[in-house]
Amino acid sequence: MNIPYYNLKRINDTVNDEVEKRIKQVIEDCDFILGKQVKEFEEEFAKFTGVKHCIGVDNGLDALHIILEALDLPKDSEVIVPSNTFIATALAVSYAGLKLVLVEPDEESMLINPNRIEEKITDKTRVIMPVHLYGTSCEMDDIMEISEKYHLYVIEDNAQAHGCVYKGKMTGSFGIASATSFYPGKNIGAYGDAGAITTDNDELAMKIRMLINYGSGEKYHHEYKGFNARMDEIQAAVLNVKIKYLLDWNEQRKKNVNFYFSHVHNEKIRMPINKEGAVWHIFPVRVDLDKRDDFMNYLENNGITSLIHYPIAIAEQKAYADELNPEDYQIASLLSHQVVSLPIYPFMKTEELQYICNVLNNWK
Ligand SMILES: *Cc1c(COP(=O)(O)O)cnc(C)c1O
């Protein structure tokens, strides 16, 4: 049996008739920039997340960056980011000209460790950016408590966690604002790049709307030196169809993950925590670091494609060699050598899951 890591075609084929109709309408109307589709999606995604405002943007990195710009922080501000996230979270801080401060994850949950956040707080710290990595929520009670104690902003990176719930509340609704991405492979993915910012703050929402549109509220009047970071109307048309299926697709991901939890019995394969409310963008198991190549080759030889999220820790990236010391981030480094992501996409067949579990159980 051949099982790809992700079968985007199988997912998209279920909605393409509706998507084509919507895209045709955009073409028909010649309404390409900040039109009806973007407006509709913003309303739907705000409702979905349980916040007052959603502003569609061009991608997840810009969403993170523009929130930081909108907060107008002093240039020597420090921003706390987990040491084991996707590079975009860190790049947003660098892009905004602020100082990146990495905090190690909890070894078990692989999420930013609240106990270690406090150690890194200085009089320059202004923001904590928790990342709901793999579609599992960070410990938001602890993080919000720390943010209140030290008067810090919380900006959630919700790129992997559309629909994830922490103690009855959606991720993306906790901090001053939250960024997300609709990169094609995300839980809802566009047919190209797209992202969004969610917030309950009216003033910030208004400023962000201007920042993504050349810093302008009224045409040719520019209050800020803004950007062009608008969500594309055609991508919004795709997302308006897909958002209707998001809960169902998330349920399918959870079901697939639960299948692994109940069928994989191999002491050499370490499962992640089955966290309540998770939407499982990625399902990372772990094996001994010196066995990982063997494990992945074994899967590939049995027709199963697995991936690594992420193979190189931020502090080990060349791009950050001038400001970060890899030695200081041992947990991120260890995780980067242990994790292996298994297929969990919606519309996987039970035979496919059964087959993967058999292969996993036979790995010696
Ligand atoms: C995908 C992702 C981003 C970046 O989103 P893009 O739309 O690809 O720019 C940021 N943070 C995390 C955690 C992501 O997974």
Side-chain angles (χ1 to χ4, degrees):
M1 208 180 278
N2 261 316
I3 303 170
Y5 174 70
Y6 196 61
N7 195 334
L8 194 54
K9 185 162 165 55
R10 213 185 263 180
I11 300 163
N12 289 352
D13 278 349
T14 67
V15 294
N16 275 339
D17 287 347
E18 282 177 85
V19 166
E20 277 172 29
K21 253 189 235 149
R22 281 220 183 221
I23 291 177
K24 265 203 187 122
Q25 194 60 50
V26 174
I27 294 169
E28 199 65 31
D29 297 347
C30 284
D31 186 17
F32 295 118
I33 301 292
L34 297 183
K36 288 196 283 290
Q37 297 294 330
V38 168
K39 190 162 185 299
E40 180 181 334
F41 181 72
E42 289 178 338
E43 286 168 7
E44 290 302 315
F45 197 70
K47 218 188 305 162
F48 179 87
T49 310
V51 294
K52 275 166 83 178
H53 307 279
C54 168
I55 301 104
V57 297
D58 54 351
N59 60 63
L61 171 57
D62 281 353
L64 288 160
H65 168 231
I66 284 169
I67 296 169
L68 288 169
E69 292 286 347
L71 293 175
D72 207 15
L73 303 162
K75 277 302 166 201
D76 59 353
S77 299
E78 296 176 2
V79 180
I80 289 176
V81 166
S83 56
N84 63 324
T85 180
F86 176 59
I87 193 77
T89 328
L91 288 177
V93 176
S94 305
Y95 207 166
L98 305 172
K99 183 158 186 271
L100 180 67
V101 175
L102 296 183
V103 167
E104 289 266 79
D106 173 72
E107 199 269 339
E108 180 72 23
S109 73
M110 301 186 271
L111 298 164
I112 191 166
N113 187 339
N115 297 326
R116 289 171 182 266
I117 292 177
E118 236 169 323
E119 294 164 13
K120 294 281 186 112
I121 292 175
T122 71
D123 58 354
K124 302 258 166 55
T125 310
R126 294 287 177 275
V127 181
I128 308 172
M129 288 176 114
V131 180
H132 305 297
L133 199 67
Y134 307 135
T136 61
S137 72
C138 296
E139 287 306 324
M140 293 314 291
D141 279 352
D142 297 342
I143 291 168
M144 296 314 288
E145 195 183 311
I146 294 167
S147 76
E148 279 154 30
K149 183 167 164 195
Y150 294 93
H151 308 287
L152 308 176
Y153 291 120
V154 170
I155 301 172
E156 298 166 80
D157 180 338
N158 204 35
Q160 304 194 355
H162 317 130
C164 177
V165 174
Y166 174 82
K167 297 191 179 169
K169 193 168 149 65
M170 283 277 180
T171 59
S173 70
F174 283 86
I176 180 81
S178 162
T180 198
S181 162
F182 304 112
Y183 176 84
K186 298 278 154 89
N187 287 28
I188 18 172
Y191 289 3
D193 277 311
I197 294 167
T198 51
T199 179
D200 272 322
N201 187 304
D202 300 338
E203 233 173 286
L204 194 66
M206 200 154 61
K207 184 169 180 186
I208 288 168
R209 281 205 186 281
M210 292 193 230
L211 284 178
I212 65 156
N213 196 24
Y214 317 113
S216 157
E218 189 188 337
K219 205 165 189 180
Y220 306 129
H221 295 253
H222 302 273
E223 237 167 281
Y224 307 104
K225 293 175 187 124
F227 310 92
N228 178 352
R230 302 173 297 223
M231 180 185 272
D232 187 283
E233 192 69 6
I234 287 180
Q235 299 309 332
V238 176
L239 294 170
N240 278 323
V241 174
K242 284 194 162 187
I243 194 170
K244 295 187 275 178
Y245 301 96
L246 177 57
L247 288 176
D248 174 37
W249 294 347
N250 282 346
E251 280 311 310
Q252 294 197 44
R253 288 171 179 277
K254 287 183 216 177
K255 218 177 88 217
N256 296 343
V257 163
N258 283 327
F259 196 95
Y260 285 121
F261 275 111
S262 51
H263 292 81
V264 177
H265 310 286
N266 184 337
E267 278 173 5
K268 292 203 163 79
I269 301 170
R270 179 172 168 190
M271 295 292 194
I273 298 175
N274 195 358
K275 208 169 177 176
E276 207 184 308
V279 291
W280 297 109
H281 172 58
I282 287 166
F283 184 63
V285 298
R286 278 185 269 176
V287 294
D288 281 349
L289 66 171
D290 56 335
K291 297 273 161 43
R292 186 171 64 179
D293 286 347
D294 173 73
F295 180 62
M296 291 181 78
N297 287 334
Y298 166 79
L299 292 177
E300 198 62 51
N301 292 337
N302 284 282
I304 302 161
T305 304
S306 59
L307 294 179
I308 301 169
H309 298 95
Y310 295 94
I312 306 169
I314 293 168
E316 290 171 359
Q317 297 287 355
K318 255 196 224 156
Y320 280 104
D322 58 339
E323 55 177 296
L324 299 170
N325 180 2
E327 306 262 299
D328 297 340
Y329 308 97
Q330 302 282 341
I331 301 177
S333 176
L334 177 69
L335 294 178
S336 74
H337 291 102
Q338 294 178 327
V339 288
V340 177
S341 311
L342 299 177
I344 51 161
Y345 52 87
F347 305 103
M348 268 182 91
K349 297 175 181 136
T350 310
E351 307 93 89
E352 291 171 327
L353 283 162
Q354 187 64 65
Y355 172 77
I356 298 173
C357 289
N358 286 342
V359 170
L360 291 172
N361 287 334
N362 288 326
W363 184 56
K364 298 218 170 55

